[in-house]
Amino acid sequence: MSSMPSVRGTLTANRPLADLTWLRVGGPADYLFQPADEADLCDFLRALPDKVAVFPIGVGSNLIVRDGGLRAVVIRLGRGFNAIACKDGLVTAGAAALDAHVARRAAEAGLDLTFLRTIPGSIGGAVRMNAGCYGSYVSDHLIAVRCATRAGEIVDIAAQDLDLRYRHSSLPDGWVLLSASFRANSADPKVLEARMLDQIAKRDASQPTKDRSAGSTFRNPVGHSSTGRADDSHELKAWKVIDDAGLRGATLGGAQMSPMHSNFLINIGGATAADLEDLGENVRKRVFQNSGITLEWEIMRVGERP
């Protein structure tokens, strides 16, 4: 790769990515850039040759990096990008702020973004995926985002221009989300705190939170998140069609569909990225044979197979 622009942050060549993902797998990126601040990021993007691919990652909670690694500059935002501010019914959070922290800080300010409390990952990823649970989504609250373009310009984009749908947004390749602003309803902080504790208890009772996973593996075929209500139909949930195909607990190498929640792909020890992805593909094939339903990946898979 051509010589890299000089930076004030940290730029590391041939950096393994496994330790930056929740599944702990994956080969190296050509470069990992951790910018010092917005100006450092924009200067770098402006000076970086157009042909060099840029791939922003959050905390790697929804990511399989393939074993051959990533031919790109991976950009990971850190401490300078995780501020959270609550004012006048608005919550503004840096892209690196963890979803759970944003939910808690908002609740302390009497603002209800409790649906974020159990979503793994950071705000940048939550916006990109239009994350949601309990029937609430980022799109229900998002007002606008700030981004750095691939050319190193800072732009503000209104939520309605992001084409937010179930597990989808349209942000151009190589653009880096910097922060997001949310509208939130007012509520008693104590009520919000109790609701979040209840959500965590439910999650920990039903999901393998102690295992190495990347959250839900496949999107629900029904096309929306669980509402958590008693009348919420299970017919077209990803876990249900996986169960019906007899794949709860299925393994390949060090990869397993969790016996606790069959839509969680877990690294039970020593898994390669190929183990995880191939098990997922086997599940997709078997579910299709069994029910005619084609499961769509919710976990992002990037990079090259060696």
Side-chain angles (χ1 to χ4, degrees):
M1 206 179 256
S2 48
S3 68
M4 288 284 113
S6 60
V7 299
R8 287 180 288 113
T10 310
L11 183 64
T12 314
N14 210 32
R15 171 64 158 80
L17 296 174
D19 66 319
L20 299 181
T21 73
W22 284 25
L23 282 163
R24 293 292 187 263
V25 296
D30 287 344
Y31 287 89
L32 174 71
F33 177 39
Q34 296 158 286
D37 50 36
E38 284 186 7
D40 191 31
L41 173 62
C42 290
D43 290 346
F44 176 83
L45 289 170
R46 264 196 299 277
L48 191 67
D50 288 344
K51 65 179 190 291
V52 179
V54 164
F55 184 76
I57 67 168
V59 290
S61 61
N62 187 48
L63 191 64
I64 292 174
V65 177
R66 296 186 179 108
D67 302 303
L70 207 49
R71 305 290 71 79
V73 175
V74 169
I75 294 180
R76 192 170 196 260
L77 304 182
R79 222 165 261 147
F81 297 86
N82 63 2
I84 303 167
C86 305
K87 194 180 174 194
D88 301 333
L90 293 185
V91 179
T92 302
L98 295 177
D99 301 334
H101 289 179
V102 175
R104 286 208 305 262
R105 284 285 298 281
E108 286 164 12
L111 295 169
D112 184 359
L113 291 177
T114 51
F115 80 99
L116 286 170
R117 180 62 184 88
T118 55
I119 295 176
S122 59
I123 286 296
V127 170
R128 233 174 220 288
M129 287 290 291
N130 188 21
C133 65
Y134 306 118
S136 290
Y137 295 87
V138 161
S139 56
D140 298 327
H141 299 275
L142 188 69
I143 298 168
V145 294
R146 288 183 84 227
C147 300
T149 71
R150 177 61 185 78
E153 304 298 319
I154 294 204
V155 295
D156 291 295
I157 308 173
Q160 59 263 32
D161 296 329
L162 286 173
D163 187 25
L164 294 163
R165 288 177 276 139
Y166 178 57
R167 300 293 182 261
H168 170 88
S169 71
S170 62
L171 204 63
D173 281 348
W175 286 31
V176 183
L177 264 158
L178 301 172
S179 65
S181 300
F182 302 90
R183 188 181 292 105
N185 291 329
S186 297
D188 181 342
K190 288 194 182 66
V191 171
L192 298 177
E193 178 61 27
R195 184 184 305 157
M196 290 190 295
L197 288 172
D198 182 52
Q199 286 171 1
I200 290 161
K202 276 193 181 130
R203 177 196 68 185
D204 290 351
S206 64
Q207 296 177 10
T209 50
K210 303 285 186 285
D211 294 320
R212 280 186 185 161
S213 85
S216 297
T217 305
F218 302 107
R219 302 173 187 189
N220 286 327
V222 72
H224 59 73
S225 300
S226 167
T227 64
R229 292 194 297 267
D231 61 354
D232 194 12
S233 159
H234 292 304
E235 267 64 277
L236 282 174
K237 292 289 162 55
W239 69 263
K240 180 72 164 61
V241 298
I242 293 168
D243 272 9
D244 291 348
L247 295 166
R248 183 180 286 256
T251 58
L252 178 68
Q256 182 181 42
M257 300 313 292
S258 168
M260 186 178 191
H261 189 309
S262 49
N263 193 30
F264 278 67
L265 181 60
I266 57 176
N267 180 353
I268 50 178
T272 62
D275 289 343
L276 292 157
E277 188 169 19
D278 291 350
L279 177 57
E281 286 299 327
N282 290 350
V283 167
R284 292 181 73 228
K285 191 155 79 184
R286 293 268 301 277
V287 164
F288 182 75
Q289 288 165 350
N290 185 62
S291 64
I293 288 168
T294 302
L295 287 174
E296 284 183 53
W297 283 91
E298 185 162 321
I299 297 174
M300 254 185 120
R301 289 125 26 253
V302 297
E304 299 177 347
R305 291 184 77 125

